[in-house]
Amino acid sequence: MWVFVLRRIATMLFAILFLTALIFVLMQAVLGDPVVLMLGRDADPATVARLRQDLGFNRPTHVQYLDWLGRLLQGDWGRSFRTPQPVLEAIIARLPVTLELTFLSLVVAVALGVGLGVLAAVRPYTRLDFGISLLTAFGTAMPNFWIAILLILVFALHLRVLPSSGSIPFVEDPLGNLRAMVLPAITLSAAYFSNVARLTRAKILEALESEYVRTARAKGVREARVLLVHALRNSLLPVLSVLGVSISRLFGGAVVTETIFALPGIGILLVDSILSRDFPVVQGVIIVITVGVFLTNFLVELAYAAVDPRIRIG
Amino acid sequence: MAATATTHTRPTGITVGALILALAGVLAPTIAGRADAQTPVRGGTLRIGWIPDAKTLDPHFSVQFAERHVLYLVFNTLVGLDKSFNVIPELARSWQVAPDGKRVTFQLQRGVKFHDGTDFTAEVVKWNIDRILDPATKSPQRSQLEPAVAAVSVVDPYTVAFEMKKPFAPLLAALAERPGFIVSPAAVKKWGENFGQHPVGTGPFRFVDFVQDSRVTLERFDGYWEKGKPYFDKVVYHVVPDPTVRSTMVRTGEVDIATDVEAKDVPLLQADQNLRVSEMKPPARWTVLQWQVDKPPFNNKALREAIALGINREELKQVLLRGFGEVARGVATPGLWWQDPNLKGYGYNPELAKKKLAEAGYPNGFRYKFAVENTSQWIRQAELLQGQLQKINVTLDFELVNTADAYALIVQRKTNWTHTRWTQRADPHGLFYILFHSKGFANSTGYSNPKVNELLDRAAVIYEPERRKPLYHEAERLIVEDAPYVFLNYTAEFAVMSRKVQNWVWVPDLIPRFRDLWLEK
């Protein structure tokens, strides 16, 4: 077990090092320096030159990178070029929003996905099944910015039951916070609950045909128990692996969702920082996301072991 | 160049309030285009659908438009601007220009306090200007003062003098914009690099909080020096990056007002009984094509003329701006005191364009790379231009560039042919000099016309608008003819608000002055 954990951590550190170096080189090679952006259209060349020198952009790329890495190892994440907020502070301020959004989306994806999947499997090839198939086909096919706009039109503009945009800190107004999160969470989870529902339906149908279900039914086990204990538990394994992959993709989807709903999360921070060449923030966010994805994958692997007795970690 | 002494004063004391109220009563109907003159209502919260990208609320470092939406509420400028870009008193209640034009003396308002309780004095003004001028500060605002301001001296606690390297008429307008915002020296010392997240000014509203990419909250400053103002108890800016969502939030009542609304959404908003849509009239921002006139192939004037004549600006306006805005003729937008009403600009004449193209040495057509900003709006414009110019046998090969990089590529002269846009500055020198003088720091076209240089240099040292005007008219004619830029459209800008929002006025710098608004009960 410990060997497994240590190996994972080593891989993660290596990935962070590789990613930050890659991002650094790409940002410098493909795109310009951030000084013109930082100073805008009114700055004179003398000020531009001075800022460029003070930020160390005149030095070779690898020197700049090693300098950044050295500071990081001493616990100094640096300051944003733009705001100029300390990087760690900027990330910590945004992280709760993104974590809440991805967590709620995951809950919606699992609850709706498994629920709809089971319903469809229980009544296969009926109108209900057909309706669910149609819904999940839409969920998978429609881009999430389009779903977001439809949801805003219906729930915010016509029904006026939910806010169209913005976020309220949970500590200030828990109910308001959750209300503001409903539409973004549904938007972000649309593709995932659809996948989960289709997969759950297929796996349960498969399980219901299997010999152990036939045996259970033959023993006189009640149908609900057959379905929820025997069939569902075995069907969840592939669903779990889909969810594991989804979590890292949810981070990606969060970027679009946060932008449309004006949620001040880490997705917007990353995009803004890349666009304005805010290198310290980009690197900081990359580290946080990498650690996050590794941790969730790790947890998924542990969960795997819990659900499937054939898998042992160690 | 000598300038005659000019004086601007404003009465002080209790009469001011009465005067303002009386004036507001008289002017309100004409300004807002409404017939019901009302007394402002105090109280309530103004909720604003705010454009994104604010990074700092330190005016001396402000670059983004969004930031200025807030700055005018938290801070005062030394002098103010009215809706025709005339300079009016603000923290300075009067000023005089010395006969040689090299000293400008300001008399300051008395009894003005910062939100942190410190006093606003001549010392403070000097400290602020010194902060901008110090190269170590690296303020982007330095470019507007450094060419002309030698030093600022304190005459007495409420009188401050700007010693000039040369007479410099644009000084006053600059002091009404970002270089003129007065920050609390005590607060800058206290917060250091974090002042931009904890701004302290003398403005009508006190800063409460700033959550990056989410919101800014302000509340009424009870010690504000303009008696009776401001009207709101609280102002909240909600960041809403998507323009359609922004205007939707005004429709749902989640916010009271939103700016930077897209032309395509305007008809729908106008149909809503509860809303008022305000179009900036006359428009104050323009779009252009630009190229490098000191390098082949665009050092060929006939080629530039051919392209300028081959563009159907009316069609651009109808398609891109849904008929709003105006066809552009030159540098100055309509309604500004330096605009030349007789300037014609290039018309649409495809036949002449083809002749010019042949004259330029391209009888079989011309083909070149054209850098396009990668947003739907700019791509739509580029596609239309491509279609129009194809008719005179000019082919545009698109090269998409990231919006964030577009201006850096232009100013570092890495793109030869592209499009861009600029917004009016409060003084003609602002755009004319930086874009078209051969020493202008934003002159990215390589344009250099000694006659234009001379006219712009002369105009900058004259303080009277009436005497400057003909010089700018002449320079503008030469610039339009030489075509370092091809002017396309004066674009339309819109704000949408609930009918309860009163006293909305556009200033041609397009920065909303939320501080004067009030909400009908």
PDB file of all heavy atoms in Angstrom, chain B residues 53-65:
ATOM      1  N   ASP B  53     -12.740  42.031 -16.294  1.00  0.00           N
ATOM      2  CA  ASP B  53     -11.330  42.395 -16.495  1.00  0.00           C
ATOM      3  C   ASP B  53     -10.745  43.411 -15.531  1.00  0.00           C
ATOM      4  O   ASP B  53      -9.611  43.827 -15.716  1.00  0.00           O
ATOM      5  CB  ASP B  53     -11.043  42.892 -17.926  1.00  0.00           C
ATOM      6  CG  ASP B  53     -11.075  41.742 -18.914  1.00  0.00           C
ATOM      7  OD1 ASP B  53     -10.907  40.603 -18.467  1.00  0.00           O
ATOM      8  OD2 ASP B  53     -11.292  41.981 -20.105  1.00  0.00           O
ATOM      9  N   ALA B  54     -11.489  43.836 -14.521  1.00  0.00           N
ATOM     10  CA  ALA B  54     -10.881  44.767 -13.561  1.00  0.00           C
ATOM     11  C   ALA B  54      -9.795  44.031 -12.776  1.00  0.00           C
ATOM     12  O   ALA B  54     -10.015  42.930 -12.287  1.00  0.00           O
ATOM     13  CB  ALA B  54     -11.939  45.302 -12.611  1.00  0.00           C
ATOM     14  N   LYS B  55      -8.619  44.629 -12.715  1.00  0.00           N
ATOM     15  CA  LYS B  55      -7.506  43.998 -12.013  1.00  0.00           C
ATOM     16  C   LYS B  55      -7.141  44.772 -10.760  1.00  0.00           C
ATOM     17  O   LYS B  55      -6.759  44.205  -9.755  1.00  0.00           O
ATOM     18  CB  LYS B  55      -6.259  43.939 -12.891  1.00  0.00           C
ATOM     19  CG  LYS B  55      -6.477  43.475 -14.305  1.00  0.00           C
ATOM     20  CD  LYS B  55      -6.909  42.030 -14.374  1.00  0.00           C
ATOM     21  CE  LYS B  55      -7.095  41.613 -15.817  1.00  0.00           C
ATOM     22  NZ  LYS B  55      -8.140  40.613 -15.961  1.00  0.00           N
ATOM     23  N   THR B  56      -7.166  46.093 -10.867  1.00  0.00           N
ATOM     24  CA  THR B  56      -6.727  46.909  -9.745  1.00  0.00           C
ATOM     25  C   THR B  56      -7.618  48.138  -9.650  1.00  0.00           C
ATOM     26  O   THR B  56      -8.150  48.606 -10.656  1.00  0.00           O
ATOM     27  CB  THR B  56      -5.265  47.355  -9.938  1.00  0.00           C
ATOM     28  OG1 THR B  56      -4.919  48.250  -8.872  1.00  0.00           O
ATOM     29  CG2 THR B  56      -5.054  48.084 -11.261  1.00  0.00           C
ATOM     30  N   LEU B  57      -7.798  48.655  -8.449  1.00  0.00           N
ATOM     31  CA  LEU B  57      -8.555  49.894  -8.282  1.00  0.00           C
ATOM     32  C   LEU B  57      -7.624  51.033  -7.888  1.00  0.00           C
ATOM     33  O   LEU B  57      -8.059  52.048  -7.358  1.00  0.00           O
ATOM     34  CB  LEU B  57      -9.681  49.695  -7.265  1.00  0.00           C
ATOM     35  CG  LEU B  57     -10.736  48.663  -7.711  1.00  0.00           C
ATOM     36  CD1 LEU B  57     -11.790  48.451  -6.630  1.00  0.00           C
ATOM     37  CD2 LEU B  57     -11.408  49.089  -9.006  1.00  0.00           C
ATOM     38  N   ASP B  58      -6.347  50.850  -8.158  1.00  0.00           N
ATOM     39  CA  ASP B  58      -5.397  51.945  -7.986  1.00  0.00           C
ATOM     40  C   ASP B  58      -5.355  52.720  -9.310  1.00  0.00           C
ATOM     41  O   ASP B  58      -4.861  52.203 -10.308  1.00  0.00           O
ATOM     42  CB  ASP B  58      -4.011  51.375  -7.662  1.00  0.00           C
ATOM     43  CG  ASP B  58      -2.982  52.479  -7.418  1.00  0.00           C
ATOM     44  OD1 ASP B  58      -3.226  53.629  -7.851  1.00  0.00           O
ATOM     45  OD2 ASP B  58      -1.942  52.187  -6.818  1.00  0.00           O
ATOM     46  N   PRO B  59      -5.916  53.949  -9.341  1.00  0.00           N
ATOM     47  CA  PRO B  59      -6.040  54.645 -10.621  1.00  0.00           C
ATOM     48  C   PRO B  59      -4.709  54.854 -11.332  1.00  0.00           C
ATOM     49  O   PRO B  59      -4.658  54.904 -12.559  1.00  0.00           O
ATOM     50  CB  PRO B  59      -6.666  55.989 -10.252  1.00  0.00           C
ATOM     51  CG  PRO B  59      -6.584  56.108  -8.779  1.00  0.00           C
ATOM     52  CD  PRO B  59      -6.465  54.724  -8.214  1.00  0.00           C
ATOM     53  N   HIS B  60      -3.636  54.958 -10.577  1.00  0.00           N
ATOM     54  CA  HIS B  60      -2.348  55.226 -11.207  1.00  0.00           C
ATOM     55  C   HIS B  60      -1.797  53.997 -11.930  1.00  0.00           C
ATOM     56  O   HIS B  60      -0.813  54.086 -12.651  1.00  0.00           O
ATOM     57  CB  HIS B  60      -1.347  55.758 -10.181  1.00  0.00           C
ATOM     58  CG  HIS B  60      -1.813  57.036  -9.546  1.00  0.00           C
ATOM     59  ND1 HIS B  60      -1.238  57.567  -8.427  1.00  0.00           N
ATOM     60  CD2 HIS B  60      -2.811  57.899  -9.882  1.00  0.00           C
ATOM     61  CE1 HIS B  60      -1.866  58.691  -8.086  1.00  0.00           C
ATOM     62  NE2 HIS B  60      -2.827  58.903  -8.952  1.00  0.00           N
ATOM     63  N   PHE B  61      -2.432  52.840 -11.713  1.00  0.00           N
ATOM     64  CA  PHE B  61      -2.032  51.628 -12.429  1.00  0.00           C
ATOM     65  C   PHE B  61      -3.150  51.096 -13.316  1.00  0.00           C
ATOM     66  O   PHE B  61      -3.012  50.046 -13.925  1.00  0.00           O
ATOM     67  CB  PHE B  61      -1.585  50.544 -11.452  1.00  0.00           C
ATOM     68  CG  PHE B  61      -0.279  50.866 -10.790  1.00  0.00           C
ATOM     69  CD1 PHE B  61      -0.237  51.484  -9.562  1.00  0.00           C
ATOM     70  CD2 PHE B  61       0.921  50.604 -11.446  1.00  0.00           C
ATOM     71  CE1 PHE B  61       0.965  51.823  -8.981  1.00  0.00           C
ATOM     72  CE2 PHE B  61       2.126  50.944 -10.876  1.00  0.00           C
ATOM     73  CZ  PHE B  61       2.157  51.556  -9.633  1.00  0.00           C
ATOM     74  N   SER B  62      -4.249  51.816 -13.343  1.00  0.00           N
ATOM     75  CA  SER B  62      -5.408  51.305 -14.061  1.00  0.00           C
ATOM     76  C   SER B  62      -5.161  51.266 -15.567  1.00  0.00           C
ATOM     77  O   SER B  62      -4.689  52.229 -16.158  1.00  0.00           O
ATOM     78  CB  SER B  62      -6.621  52.180 -13.761  1.00  0.00           C
ATOM     79  OG  SER B  62      -7.652  51.856 -14.650  1.00  0.00           O
ATOM     80  N   VAL B  63      -5.481  50.124 -16.182  1.00  0.00           N
ATOM     81  CA  VAL B  63      -5.356  49.950 -17.627  1.00  0.00           C
ATOM     82  C   VAL B  63      -6.732  49.603 -18.203  1.00  0.00           C
ATOM     83  O   VAL B  63      -7.109  50.071 -19.256  1.00  0.00           O
ATOM     84  CB  VAL B  63      -4.347  48.824 -17.942  1.00  0.00           C
ATOM     85  CG1 VAL B  63      -4.415  48.443 -19.407  1.00  0.00           C
ATOM     86  CG2 VAL B  63      -2.937  49.266 -17.579  1.00  0.00           C
ATOM     87  N   GLN B  64      -7.475  48.779 -17.484  1.00  0.00           N
ATOM     88  CA  GLN B  64      -8.727  48.242 -18.004  1.00  0.00           C
ATOM     89  C   GLN B  64      -9.879  49.236 -17.894  1.00  0.00           C
ATOM     90  O   GLN B  64      -9.982  49.980 -16.923  1.00  0.00           O
ATOM     91  CB  GLN B  64      -9.112  46.975 -17.238  1.00  0.00           C
ATOM     92  CG  GLN B  64      -8.051  45.899 -17.264  1.00  0.00           C
ATOM     93  CD  GLN B  64      -7.836  45.349 -18.659  1.00  0.00           C
ATOM     94  OE1 GLN B  64      -8.730  45.392 -19.491  1.00  0.00           O
ATOM     95  NE2 GLN B  64      -6.642  44.846 -18.912  1.00  0.00           N
ATOM     96  N   PHE B  65     -10.770  49.176 -18.891  1.00  0.00           N
ATOM     97  CA  PHE B  65     -11.964  50.011 -18.895  1.00  0.00           C
ATOM     98  C   PHE B  65     -12.824  49.780 -17.658  1.00  0.00           C
ATOM     99  O   PHE B  65     -13.310  50.715 -17.046  1.00  0.00           O
ATOM    100  CB  PHE B  65     -12.784  49.675 -20.134  1.00  0.00           C
ATOM    101  CG  PHE B  65     -12.893  50.823 -21.059  1.00  0.00           C
ATOM    102  CD1 PHE B  65     -11.820  51.162 -21.862  1.00  0.00           C
ATOM    103  CD2 PHE B  65     -14.042  51.590 -21.103  1.00  0.00           C
ATOM    104  CE1 PHE B  65     -11.903  52.243 -22.712  1.00  0.00           C
ATOM    105  CE2 PHE B  65     -14.133  52.672 -21.949  1.00  0.00           C
ATOM    106  CZ  PHE B  65     -13.070  53.001 -22.761  1.00  0.00           C
TER     107      PHE B  65
END
